[in-house]
Amino acid sequence: AYAQKQHLIPIVRLATHFENGSWQVPSKKNIVDLIAFLSVLQWPTEEKYIIAFNEVNHTQEWGGSLDPASYVDALRFTSDWAKSENLNYKVLPSAMDMDAPNGPTTKEGFAYLDQMLKIDPKIFSYVDYWNSHSYPNPAFSAPPSSKGKNSINGFSNELAYLQKNTGREFETFITETGWRESSNNRSQLAGYYQYAMKNVWSDPRVKGVTPFVLHGDPGPFSGFTFLNRNGAPTKQYEAYQGVLKVLSERK
């Protein structure tokens, strides 16, 4: 009811619990229980968007291991079970961290997707929309005009990869993005957001953009937060709201 009143569209990311330095790999019972919980909620939208876990090309996000085979099983089961509810669930896969290198604790994002396709060439047929974390890397501080796979335009590389490997044109949600505020970019944030909205996120394949993060202060995400520890707006908030205001006045 609150989401409907506030005109909010929920995008719910499934998660387990954090233990021994990583998010635990879900059992089938975990997935069934999570979807059962979501199914009794009153959703404000006809389509119910759920994300099957998070950045699984990091060991910390998937039980301490790089294991595309077990993620393929979890994604497939999540999709099958959610669709069996007949409640119009729309499944998004885990986003990849496209700035991650190959190493003991991370796997490069396209290499991870390659392994998923090798394990099950039809795995992305279980996905309704794509999910991208197109951050302005490196260091969450690159200008919005950058075009690399690790830039805010990175989703275009991901969609091109999917079209090449599946023959399907996906629409995508960008469920994490945004700059880390610093003394170097504070005065540029409004311009960055304006450029992104006009030239990047305006791509017709982009279903929605959810900048990271609303309330991340205190903590390691304080540089991204839209509200500080006292609940007051930050420069991030002001820059984003300013651009939204300009866009609304143009309509």
Side-chain angles (χ1 to χ4, degrees):
Y2 178 83
Q4 190 169 33
K5 183 179 179 181
Q6 298 295 324
H7 306 289
L8 297 174
I9 300 174
I11 307 171
V12 180
R13 189 167 72 197
L14 305 184
T16 55
H17 64 282
F18 197 80
E19 182 180 323
N20 298 324
S22 66
W23 289 94
Q24 297 304 291
V25 173
S27 65
K28 286 183 170 60
K29 184 179 186 304
N30 292 149
I31 294 169
V32 170
D33 289 346
L34 286 166
I35 293 173
F37 170 75
L38 294 176
S39 293
V40 300
L41 299 179
Q42 182 181 352
W43 291 67
T45 55
E46 182 179 345
E47 291 190 330
K48 300 170 177 63
Y49 305 114
I50 58 173
I51 299 172
F53 309 99
N54 183 57
E55 291 193 351
V56 293
N57 61 324
H58 282 251
T59 58
Q60 190 178 47
E61 296 286 347
W62 197 250
S65 66
L66 296 168
D67 188 1
S70 67
Y71 180 64
V72 163
D73 286 342
L75 176 58
R76 194 164 45 212
F77 184 81
T78 297
S79 180
D80 282 344
W81 195 269
K83 300 302 175 63
S84 74
E85 295 280 276
N86 293 318
L87 291 174
N88 207 10
Y89 280 110
K90 299 299 180 183
V91 177
L92 285 66
S94 161
M96 296 291 144
D97 175 2
M98 286 299 180
D99 197 47
N102 285 317
T105 60
T106 59
K107 181 174 285 291
E108 191 274 329
F110 286 118
Y112 197 102
L113 296 177
D114 283 342
Q115 287 198 307
M116 289 178 66
L117 282 168
K118 186 176 181 180
I119 293 159
D120 182 354
K122 296 183 178 179
I123 186 57
F124 297 126
S125 68
Y126 293 87
V127 170
D128 297 292
Y129 297 106
W130 195 243
N131 178 24
S132 180
H133 286 179
S134 294
Y135 277 105
N137 281 307
F140 306 104
S141 60
S145 55
S146 297
K147 300 292 185 182
K149 69 173 184 176
N150 63 345
S151 70
I152 68 165
N153 290 275
F155 70 90
S156 294
N157 301 63
E158 296 169 48
L159 297 183
Y161 171 93
L162 291 166
Q163 200 283 328
K164 178 182 177 181
N165 286 280
T166 71
R168 180 176 163 194
E169 295 283 353
F170 276 88
E171 292 179 302
T172 188
F173 287 85
I174 301 172
T175 57
E176 286 190 27
T177 188
W179 286 267
R180 177 187 281 139
E181 181 191 341
S182 69
S183 57
N184 293 327
N185 68 15
R186 194 166 293 136
S187 63
Q188 298 172 291
L189 287 175
Y192 280 0
Y193 280 117
Q194 186 171 352
Y195 182 97
M197 288 187 178
K198 182 179 179 181
N199 301 290
V200 183
W201 300 334
S202 57
D203 188 306
R205 298 171 297 174
V206 175
K207 289 276 290 182
V209 181
T210 57
F212 183 86
V213 59
L214 178 62
H215 204 161
D217 180 43
F221 306 124
S222 59
F224 297 92
T225 191
F226 278 35
L227 300 174
N228 67 20
R229 65 193 66 190
N230 300 314
T234 63
K235 291 293 184 183
Q236 294 273 18
Y237 181 103
E238 292 169 0
Y240 195 71
Q241 280 294 101
V243 175
L244 290 178
K245 183 179 180 182
V246 170
L247 290 176
S248 66
E249 290 173 348
R250 291 176 180 172
K251 291 183 179 179

